[in-house]
């Protein structure tokens, strides 16, 4: 007995050692019989009767997670180095509609199984808007994404990406796989409704991560994505492994059919034939009505005519899908808009908006003139921009915003219906050689109107809306020459006080705030910068950047600033006004334009303060910071140095007081 005890005590260190040295491994060939203690399932995820693990269903904006039951030791305690690991799994994505679904799934290594606060849609159930990009996340993921999200710089709507603490992929590639022998690389549609095999292998010796896909059980020798990375700073000593998936406005069912994992070795391959089968696409039942007929020829002819009629009817019928019922406002029929625009003929074309053409139309029932924006369905951004405009503009109400009154979707045709602005866009009245010259009173009223509308977007609505493309071409004029902001295709909506996060720089050259090229994150301050450019161009009658306007290209901010320093600020006022303008108001607008155009975001006024300046409620400061100062450094390219501040008022105006 004593001998056995001594032997047991002798073997204990070796037993403990074996638990840390030998790799941890598990294999699930389907999930039949898997108990709750074996895997952790949360959100809408569930194990189906056939043994398939369904992460999401066809419900909009939901999240599903599944994790292995216990944490896995990834690091060597002494070296702090992450150990090599490998995983193999079979997955499938079935979109709710044949070509429309979302958002995708991801294999993840996380410090927690709960994933509290993780959002659906583009966040894939991994993170939320406040923790995206935080090093403290200690999150590693390989995403299989079926929606192109520009906020995170997605390369397409069918890609594989490696994400570290962020949803902007460190490396990504369009989904594909190599055939046997690695002779041919084939494109692969992730939401094809078929089972796809995936392998993710991390080599801690070479610090290389490989992602491999296949449509068969055999693993190709060539991976589709190879990324050099040391995961030691990212992964903690013990982490959880699992999967996450989410849906957005459109939904997909995301499945895992089998899963193997191994530390310090290659994960066991799975046999597709032994795994649960993937549900096929929904099949529409066909009801056959057999009628007795004296003539087979007549019966066949009737059937042919009926088929042709059904095809014609389907082709010309608006299909209303569930997600379309919750994004309001009024939904027009395609037939109604086609009739209103006279078949979208070229004579009714008003111009080109973001991602499509804009036509004038007249609604027959109410005899109301409207503008119909027909979004180009070939643009990859089409559906996203369409939903963005409906969801945002449809609920906004302000006299200085172009009102969205309705919309329509027919197959690939995406249409938005706005109030018609009979006087067109502002740029046609201030640039080049306009047919009508706006008076100073009209210009000042337009400026104040746009400022009021922008203040509403930034601070007065229930959420903050960043327009991101403020320019003269997006300021439309109604019958009374009131300025209204339009074209919200690039609008970024977020909760008040939240930090917007995007890495896609959007907008128009000359209106882009300098910090956008560094951070890629739009803010209300970047909108103020664009508003500053608008102020200057309305007063000067010049574009923000004019090629070869002078002996060299003209940058309107630099030009106005130089004239300000020279004490000749009124020389920049549009000469087509023939001196008929309020000099005090003109100087005030020019000065505000320079303040808004400051390279340092903190030195720009808020839109609330800008409106108070324009309304005369508050006097502008007596000194003006040089607009080319950025982060405390003078950044002018001319080489001229200038004191921090200059006196604000023109000498001629001071003498008149």
């Amino acid at each position: 007995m004593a001998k056995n005890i001594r032997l047991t005590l002798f073997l204990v260190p070796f037993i403990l050692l074996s638990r840390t040295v030998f790799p941890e491994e598990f294999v699930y060939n389907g999930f039949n019989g898997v108990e709750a203690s074996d895997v952790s399932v949360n959100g809408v995820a569930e194990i189906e009767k056939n043994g398939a693990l369904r992460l999401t269903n066809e419900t909009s904006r939901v999240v599903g997670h599944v994790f292995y039951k216990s944490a896995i030791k990834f690091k060597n305690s002494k070296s702090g180095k992450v150990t090599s690991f490998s995983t193999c799994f079979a997955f499938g994505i079935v979109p709710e509609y044949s070509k429309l679904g979302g958002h995708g799934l991801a294999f993840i290594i996380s410090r927690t199984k709960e994933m509290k606060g993780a959002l659906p849609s583009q966040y894939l159930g991994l993170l939320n808007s406040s923790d995206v990009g935080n090093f403290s996340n200690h999150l590693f993921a390989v995403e299989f994404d079926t929606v192109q999200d520009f906020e995170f710089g997605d390369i397409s709507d069918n890609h594989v990406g490696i994400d570290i603490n962020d949803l902007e992929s460190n490396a990504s590639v369009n989904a594909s796989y190599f055939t046997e022998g690695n002779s041919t690389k084939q494109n692969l549609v992730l939401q094809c409704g078929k089972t796809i095999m995936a392998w993710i292998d991390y080599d801690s010796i070479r610090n290389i991560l490989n992602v491999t896909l296949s449509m068969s059980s055999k693993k190709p020798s060539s991976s589709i994505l190879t990324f050099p990375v040391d995961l030691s700073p990212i992964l903690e000593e013990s982490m959880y492994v699992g999967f996450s998936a989410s849906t957005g406005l459109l939904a997909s069912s995301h499945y895992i059919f089998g899963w193997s994992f191994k530390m310090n070795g290659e994960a066991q391959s799975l046999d597709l034939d032994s795994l649960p089968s993937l549900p096929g696409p929904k099949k529409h039942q066909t009801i056959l009505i057999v009628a007795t007929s004296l003539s087979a020829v007549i019966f066949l002819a009737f059937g042919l005519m009926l088929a042709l009629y059904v095809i014609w009817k389907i082709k010309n019928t608006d299909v209303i899908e569930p997600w379309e019922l919750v994004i309001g406002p009024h939904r027009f029929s395609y037939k109604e808009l086609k009739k209103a625009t006279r078949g979208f003929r070229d004579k009714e074309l008003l111009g080109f908006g973001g991602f499509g053409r804009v036509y004038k139309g007249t609604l027959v029932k109410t005899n109301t003139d409207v503008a119909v924006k027909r979004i180009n369905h070939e643009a990859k951004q089409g559906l996203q921009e369409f939903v963005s405009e409906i969801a945002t503009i449809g609920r906004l109400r302000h006299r200085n915003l172009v009102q969205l009154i309705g919309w329509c979707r027919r197959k690939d045709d995406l249409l938005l219906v706005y109030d018609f602005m009979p006087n067109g866009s502002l740029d046609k009245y201030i640039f080049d050689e306009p047919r009508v010259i706006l008076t100073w009173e009209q210009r000042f009223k337009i400026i104040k109107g746009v400022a009021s509308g922008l203040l509403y977007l930034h601070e007065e609505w229930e959420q903050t809306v960043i327009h991101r493309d403020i320019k003269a071409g997006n300021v439309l004029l109604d019958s009374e020459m009131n300025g209204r902001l339009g074209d919200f295709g690039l609008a970024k909506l977020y909760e008040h006080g939240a930090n917007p996060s995007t890495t896609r720089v959007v907008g128009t050259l000359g209106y882009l705030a300098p910090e956008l090229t560094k951070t890629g994150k739009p803010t209300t301050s970047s909108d103020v910068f664009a508003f500053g450019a608008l102020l200057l161009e309305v007063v000067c009658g010049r574009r923000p950047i004019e090629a070869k306007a002078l002996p060299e290209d003209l940058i309107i901010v630099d030009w106005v600033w130089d004239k300000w320093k020279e004490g000749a600020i009124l020389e920049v006022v549009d000469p087509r006004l023939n001196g008929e303008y309020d000099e005090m108001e003109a100087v005030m607008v020019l000065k505000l334009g320079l303040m808004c155009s400051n390279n340092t975001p903190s030195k720009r006024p808020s839109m609330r303060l800008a409106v108070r300046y324009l309304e005369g409620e508050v006097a502008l400061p007596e000194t003006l910071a040089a607009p080319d100062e950025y982060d405390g450094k003078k950044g002018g390219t001319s080489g001229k140095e200038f004191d921090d501040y200059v006196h604000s008022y023109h000498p001629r105006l001071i003498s008149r007081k």
Side-chain angles (χ1 to χ4, degrees):
M1 180 69 178
K3 183 179 179 180
N4 289 338
I5 293 174
R6 288 196 299 272
L7 180 60
T8 301
L9 292 173
F10 176 76
L11 290 176
V12 165
F14 292 96
I15 294 172
L16 295 175
L17 183 62
S18 68
R19 294 183 66 184
T20 59
V21 171
F22 287 117
E24 186 161 357
E25 180 179 11
F26 59 82
V27 180
Y28 293 112
N29 285 297
F31 295 87
N32 264 330
V34 175
E35 299 179 0
S37 59
D38 292 330
V39 293
S40 174
V41 178
N42 62 55
V44 298
E46 60 180 353
I47 298 174
E48 300 199 322
K49 293 181 179 180
N50 70 341
L53 176 60
R54 187 175 184 177
L55 290 168
T56 64
N57 50 40
E58 294 178 352
T59 305
S60 298
R61 296 191 179 94
V62 293
V63 169
H65 297 127
V66 61
F67 286 92
Y68 182 58
K69 59 183 178 181
S70 58
I72 293 176
K73 188 172 183 179
F74 275 89
K75 279 186 177 180
N76 183 300
S77 303
K78 294 181 180 180
S79 67
K81 181 77 173 176
V82 167
T83 306
S84 297
F85 62 85
S86 172
T87 188
C88 171
F89 54 92
F91 72 93
I93 302 176
V94 181
E96 185 177 4
Y97 305 101
S98 60
K99 294 182 180 180
L100 296 174
H103 259 259
L105 63 86
F107 167 78
I108 55 176
I109 302 177
S110 170
R111 67 200 305 186
T112 176
K113 293 185 291 185
E114 282 72 30
M115 308 295 287
K116 292 181 179 179
L119 297 176
S121 301
Q122 71 268 31
Y123 294 96
L124 298 179
L126 301 177
L127 298 168
N128 57 51
S129 58
S130 63
D131 59 17
V132 164
N134 293 343
F135 184 79
S136 59
N137 292 333
H138 292 283
L139 177 72
F140 167 80
V142 177
E143 65 175 41
F144 302 84
D145 200 342
T146 58
V147 174
Q148 185 177 20
D149 187 77
F150 298 100
E151 179 177 346
F152 299 124
D154 289 348
I155 60 172
S156 70
D157 59 358
N158 185 58
H159 67 273
V160 179
I162 296 170
D163 302 340
I164 297 176
N165 293 326
D166 204 339
L167 287 166
E168 179 187 0
S169 296
N170 298 78
S172 60
V173 65
N174 288 321
S176 60
Y177 69 98
F178 284 93
T179 57
E180 287 190 33
N182 303 306
S183 58
T184 308
K185 188 177 183 180
Q186 300 284 345
N187 292 328
L188 172 61
V189 178
L190 293 173
Q191 52 183 2
C192 61
K194 297 180 181 179
T195 303
I196 301 170
M197 290 290 295
W199 293 263
I200 300 170
D201 302 290
Y202 176 66
D203 185 339
S204 65
I205 305 299
R206 298 187 299 154
N207 289 336
I208 291 292
L209 183 76
N210 287 312
V211 182
T212 308
L213 295 181
S214 176
M215 296 301 292
S216 69
S217 301
K218 187 174 181 180
K219 180 181 181 181
S221 59
S222 295
S223 59
I224 62 166
L225 181 57
T226 298
F227 180 59
V229 61
D230 181 5
L231 293 179
S232 298
I234 310 303
L235 303 186
E236 297 181 334
E237 184 172 345
S238 295
M239 304 283 284
Y240 292 93
V241 295
F243 299 91
S244 176
S246 73
T247 63
L249 278 177
L250 300 179
S252 292
S253 295
H254 299 89
Y255 294 92
I256 302 294
F257 302 104
W259 179 24
S260 67
F261 182 90
K262 187 173 184 178
M263 293 297 300
N264 203 22
E266 185 169 355
Q268 179 179 313
S269 292
L270 304 173
D271 181 8
L272 286 179
D273 294 334
S274 65
L275 299 179
S277 59
L278 179 70
K282 293 181 179 179
K283 297 181 180 179
H284 298 284
Q285 296 181 346
T286 304
I287 300 175
L288 298 179
I289 301 176
V290 180
T292 303
S293 176
L294 297 176
S295 171
V297 175
I298 295 176
F299 175 78
L300 292 175
F302 174 77
L304 179 61
M305 291 174 62
L306 180 61
L308 291 174
Y309 172 77
V310 170
I311 292 172
W312 177 85
K313 193 71 175 176
I314 292 175
K315 185 177 180 181
N316 291 275
T317 300
D318 297 338
V319 179
I320 303 177
E321 297 177 353
W323 64 272
E324 299 179 72
L325 301 177
V326 296
I327 56 178
H330 178 70
R331 188 185 196 278
F332 289 95
S333 69
Y334 181 80
K335 182 179 180 181
E336 188 176 3
L337 297 184
K338 185 177 181 180
K339 187 173 183 180
T341 58
R342 301 185 181 183
F344 299 100
R345 67 176 186 175
D346 290 342
K347 288 185 178 179
E348 305 301 323
L349 186 65
L350 296 174
F352 295 87
F355 303 101
R357 297 186 171 196
V358 181
Y359 297 85
K360 180 183 178 182
T362 303
L363 299 177
V364 177
K365 293 181 181 179
T366 59
N367 196 32
T368 304
D369 289 337
V370 293
V372 181
K373 180 178 178 182
R374 189 173 191 176
I375 295 178
N376 181 4
H377 66 274
E378 295 178 357
K380 294 180 180 178
Q381 306 94 316
L383 186 59
Q384 176 180 338
E385 303 298 342
F386 179 68
V387 173
S388 172
E389 292 217 26
I390 294 175
T392 304
I393 305 180
R395 294 180 291 151
L396 297 173
R397 296 290 186 275
H398 192 276
R399 63 184 179 278
N400 295 112
L401 300 179
V402 177
Q403 181 63 49
L404 177 70
I405 60 177
W407 64 285
C408 172
R409 187 179 78 86
R410 174 182 172 269
K411 294 186 178 181
D412 291 329
D413 288 310
L414 311 174
L415 302 104
L416 298 173
V417 184
Y418 300 93
D419 281 337
F420 177 65
M421 298 290 107
N423 285 312
S425 57
L426 176 60
D427 59 337
K428 297 178 181 178
Y429 294 87
I430 57 175
F431 299 141
D432 305 322
E433 298 180 2
R435 289 179 295 177
V436 177
I437 305 299
L438 296 178
T439 65
W440 173 253
E441 289 75 16
Q442 289 173 321
R443 298 185 194 212
F444 194 51
K445 183 175 74 169
I446 291 168
I447 287 171
K448 290 197 293 184
V450 173
S452 178
L454 200 50
L455 172 61
Y456 171 79
L457 295 180
H458 286 187
E459 300 183 28
E460 296 178 347
W461 195 50
E462 62 191 46
Q463 292 174 284
T464 299
V465 178
I466 301 177
H467 189 283
R468 296 204 290 178
D469 200 20
I470 299 165
K471 59 182 180 181
N474 284 337
V475 175
L476 302 180
L477 305 177
D478 61 19
S479 58
E480 298 178 356
M481 299 301 285
N482 294 303
R484 298 195 189 187
L485 265 175
D487 201 338
F488 284 65
L490 299 176
K492 176 63 182 174
L493 188 69
Y494 67 102
E495 299 294 337
H496 282 294
N499 290 322
S501 175
T502 181
T503 54
R504 179 194 179 213
V505 178
V506 293
T508 303
L509 189 63
Y511 302 86
L512 290 173
E515 68 269 14
L516 284 175
T517 60
K518 292 187 176 183
T519 66
K521 295 181 180 180
T523 63
T524 53
S525 184
S526 58
D527 264 2
V528 171
F529 184 92
F531 177 69
L534 177 68
L535 293 178
L536 297 181
E537 62 186 1
V538 170
V539 178
C540 303
R542 289 181 177 273
R543 302 179 190 276
I545 300 176
E546 292 188 358
K548 297 181 180 179
L550 296 173
E552 56 185 20
D553 294 350
L554 180 140
I555 310 297
I556 194 170
V557 176
D558 295 342
W559 179 55
V560 174
W561 178 248
D562 288 341
K563 291 296 183 181
W564 186 277
K565 291 188 297 182
E566 294 170 7
I569 188 61
L570 293 180
E571 291 183 9
V572 306
V573 178
D574 191 345
R576 290 170 293 192
L577 289 172
N578 295 320
E580 297 179 1
Y581 59 90
D582 186 307
E583 293 184 352
M584 291 293 292
E585 288 179 349
V587 171
M588 183 266 289
V589 174
L590 289 167
K591 183 175 180 180
L592 180 58
L594 290 173
M595 291 171 62
C596 293
S597 300
N598 197 292
N599 283 357
T600 304
S602 62
K603 291 185 178 179
R604 300 171 201 151
S606 66
M607 281 311 305
R608 182 169 298 280
L609 185 55
V611 169
R612 297 188 70 188
Y613 286 147
L614 290 170
E615 294 294 342
E617 297 176 2
V618 178
L620 274 79
E622 294 185 359
T623 55
L624 185 64
D628 62 352
E629 292 179 357
Y630 187 61
D631 291 338
K633 300 177 181 179
K634 298 204 169 42
T637 57
S638 64
K640 298 179 181 179
E641 293 293 326
F642 188 73
D643 291 338
D644 289 340
Y645 301 99
V646 295
H647 198 273
S648 59
Y649 294 107
H650 189 280
R652 286 173 53 198
L653 300 182
I654 295 174
S655 64
R656 290 175 58 194
K657 293 183 179 181

